Amino acid sequence: DSGVTQTPKHLITATGQRVTLRCSPRSGDLSVYWYQQSLDQGLQFLIQYYNGEERAKGNILERFSAQQFPDLHSELNLSSLELGDSALYFCASSVWGQETQYFGPGTRLLVL
Amino acid sequence: GDSVTQMEGPVTLSEEAFLTINCTYTATGYPSLFWYVQYPGEGLQLLLKATKADDKGSNKGFEATYRKETTSFHLEKGSVQVSDSAVYFCALSDQGGAAGNKLTFGGGTRVLVKP
């Protein structure tokens, strides 16, 4: 158990819908990262937050957005969903001064 | 940009066989290198890491040495078990500073160990 929690574990929705994925980092970790794992694209970095502020952006679609709240949990919002958004979405966290990231169990999203 | 290339799988081995998974990288700076493992139905777990040239990371019988001259970080284990069946990811993190930096992953290598 990494100490990073993600909810829900599974999500099934329809095209055009909007969903919110939630992540709670390990206690004390200020950095939160979101990654997408899909069969065709592999594991890709989406976005990083540090202590509530956006720090880095990767291959994140404009239809996707994220935020980190004062209690340090983070949410990833996916809107106008398409079939191709079906993937496993991971959250990871790290502590100040350390490069090691600890991953949550992921949220498996299926868009029908 | 940064990239990681690792051998494609699946790699199928018998128990107690020697495992090697090749990983090479391209980075602009002096990255830290990682191996993560993903067991079926689970998230990624850190297996080992190395932060500078010639460092050797090791854990659970797995080893990898940071080779700057060949830009490689090959994973090895001398005697695999059925429980080592998983997908292995090589990754790098390039000069993120104390607040951290994104990981760039290779495509993953599926390993299947048969009894």
Side-chain angles (χ1 to χ4, degrees):
Chain A
D1 185 356
S2 67
V4 179
T5 60
Q6 290 186 248
T7 56
K9 193 168 183 178
H10 301 278
L11 201 46
I12 302 175
T13 188
T15 55
Q17 295 299 304
R18 172 189 168 94
V19 297
T20 297
L21 313 183
R22 182 188 169 104
C23 167
S24 293
R26 295 186 323 154
S27 177
D29 286 2
L30 298 179
S31 279
V32 169
Y33 310 78
W34 287 97
Y35 293 87
Q36 179 194 59
Q37 185 179 32
S38 62
L39 284 175
D40 53 345
Q41 298 290 330
L43 258 169
Q44 287 200 99
F45 167 72
L46 295 178
I47 197 164
Q48 178 197 359
Y49 277 81
Y50 176 76
N51 202 21
E53 300 290 327
E54 182 186 302
R55 176 172 167 82
K57 255 184 176 177
N59 298 322
I60 188 166
L61 300 171
E62 285 191 11
R63 300 183 284 110
F64 296 0
S65 65
Q67 58 185 132
Q68 186 179 26
F69 294 87
D71 67 353
L72 300 178
H73 91 271
S74 178
E75 293 180 356
L76 179 67
N77 301 295
L78 315 176
S79 62
S80 303
L81 285 167
E82 302 175 0
L83 296 177
D85 298 327
S86 296
L88 196 49
Y89 291 85
F90 286 111
C91 167
S93 71
S94 68
V95 69
W96 174 264
Q98 298 290 326
E99 291 179 294
T100 300
Q101 294 180 26
Y102 296 90
F103 282 75
T107 293
R108 186 172 295 280
L109 173 66
L110 180 59
V111 182
L112 300 175
Chain B
D2 298 344
S3 67
V4 176
T5 303
Q6 59 181 108
M7 57 191 288
E8 289 191 22
V11 174
T12 303
L13 303 163
S14 297
E15 214 165 16
E16 299 184 3
F18 184 86
L19 170 68
T20 240
I21 304 176
N22 290 338
C23 170
T24 57
Y25 68 90
T26 302
T28 51
Y30 300 93
S32 293
L33 302 173
F34 303 83
W35 277 100
Y36 279 85
V37 58
Q38 185 176 28
Y39 297 103
E42 297 185 15
L44 284 82
Q45 298 177 26
L46 177 66
L47 184 57
L48 54 84
K49 69 176 185 179
T51 58
K52 61 183 188 295
D54 300 325
D55 267 2
K56 178 185 280 189
S58 61
N59 185 28
K60 298 181 182 179
F62 290 89
E63 290 183 342
T65 301
Y66 190 142
R67 301 285 188 202
K68 188 167 181 291
E69 63 276 12
T70 54
T71 62
S72 65
F73 192 54
H74 305 321
L75 182 68
E76 297 181 336
K77 185 175 185 183
S79 176
V80 294
Q81 305 300 313
V82 172
S83 57
D84 294 324
S85 297
V87 181
Y88 293 82
F89 291 92
C90 185
L92 70 81
S93 173
D94 195 6
Q95 293 183 332
N101 196 21
K102 66 173 184 175
L103 289 170
T104 299
F105 286 91
T109 302
R110 183 176 300 276
V111 172
L112 177 60
V113 180
K114 296 187 174 179

